[in-house]
Amino acid sequence: TYADERFGWSVDIKENVGEAFIAIGATRSGDDDDGQVYIWRWDESTQTATLEATFGPNSIPKIESAFGQSVALDIDPSGDIVLAVGNATQAEPASPDGTTGAVDILRRDAGTGIWAHEQTIEPGDEFSDAYSTLAFGYDVAIEDGRLVVGAPLSGLYGTYSGDALLFSVSDRQPYTWSLESYLDNPTGRAFDLFGWCVEISNAHDQVFVSNPRSDYVGRDAGLVAVFEPDPTASWSLLDW
């Protein structure tokens, strides 16, 4: 590491049989200070950790970047390791403030042990969104083929009211991640920052999204919204 690299800005770990994988974000690392993510493999038999791969932002062009803002690891049924990396300030030159954001999906093939970039998910590309100040990718969570992305600066209900989005992956190669549902701010107020933190539990079919500056029960009291699937529609709000 070096000065102002911000190594450890984000971190996640996923255990496998006889090994574990650790992803560490460093939002000012790289030749252009646009962020990198370091992926380490822990070998249980030798009790050693080895750096397997280093990735920077895949999206171009960009005016600024904080690749590694958030990281989340998962293991799919085939044994592949899947890593989601948030880049909340990734933006094209057309963005007025550089906070559109993006999420990169990286995959480690279970057979070859090789890491490769799989897909970049960006507003206005894989899905339509007219809001330029999203901070899409500020936080990410991934589990069993589902990905939740927080966008706390989204202006859907007013300035920085926030939003979250749920994606799912295709069953077969080449794997493609597609938007499954918007998870909207339940209180719909400006400056809520809904989507600041996200988490998913496929065991209970629930998604959790924080709303840290919600005024619903008091000024900046905050709340956490819980979503679950609705068979007749998109994901619906369970409680908050």
Side-chain angles (χ1 to χ4, degrees):
T1 60
Y2 53 84
D4 204 32
E5 186 179 12
R6 301 183 188 178
F7 181 84
W9 188 271
S10 59
V11 63
D12 196 22
I13 185 170
K14 194 70 176 180
E15 295 184 41
N16 202 2
V17 178
E19 61 184 358
F21 294 88
I22 306 108
I24 300 173
T27 56
R28 292 294 299 275
S29 181
D31 294 337
D32 297 320
D33 296 335
D34 50 8
Q36 288 185 308
V37 63
Y38 299 85
I39 308 167
W40 297 75
R41 177 182 176 272
W42 170 261
D43 188 315
E44 185 66 27
S45 63
T46 61
Q47 295 286 290
T48 57
T50 304
L51 181 64
E52 275 207 339
T54 304
F55 284 89
N58 186 71
S59 302
I60 53 174
K62 57 183 182 295
I63 57 175
E64 65 175 287
S65 174
F67 187 76
Q69 163 71 37
S70 55
V71 294
L73 284 160
D74 192 31
I75 303 176
D76 79 358
S78 71
D80 289 357
I81 310 298
V82 184
L83 172 62
V85 183
N87 188 354
T89 59
Q90 173 71 59
E92 296 182 355
S95 175
D97 54 14
T99 56
T100 301
V103 173
D104 283 292
I105 305 296
L106 312 173
R107 182 180 294 268
R108 181 186 190 269
D109 185 274
T112 65
I114 296 174
W115 285 91
H117 178 269
E118 181 165 278
Q119 184 175 336
T120 299
I121 305 171
E122 296 178 291
D125 185 5
E126 277 76 13
F127 59 99
S128 175
D129 204 308
Y131 302 100
S132 62
T133 55
L134 292 171
F136 179 81
Y138 191 86
D139 196 27
V140 293
I142 188 169
E143 186 175 325
D144 293 343
R146 280 186 173 139
L147 167 71
V148 185
V149 181
L153 301 188
S154 170
L156 184 61
Y157 295 111
T159 304
Y160 300 165
S161 60
D163 206 356
L165 302 94
L166 178 68
F167 298 83
S168 57
V169 68
S170 58
D171 293 333
R172 296 179 181 146
Q173 295 181 342
Y175 297 115
T176 303
W177 295 80
S178 304
L179 180 66
E180 183 175 339
S181 182
Y182 286 93
L183 307 174
D184 290 336
N185 184 340
T187 58
R189 291 182 171 92
F191 298 103
D192 275 356
L193 301 178
F194 182 75
W196 190 269
C197 296
V198 296
E199 190 54 88
I200 185 169
S201 171
N202 272 354
H204 298 92
D205 252 356
Q206 293 179 336
V207 171
F208 304 84
V209 183
S210 74
N211 198 349
R213 295 192 62 187
S214 170
D215 295 336
Y216 186 76
V217 297
R219 184 170 179 81
D220 291 343
L223 60 83
V224 174
V226 185
F227 295 85
E228 63 178 5
D230 182 343
T232 64
S234 60
W235 283 60
S236 61
L237 189 65
L238 174 64
D239 198 8
W240 50 279

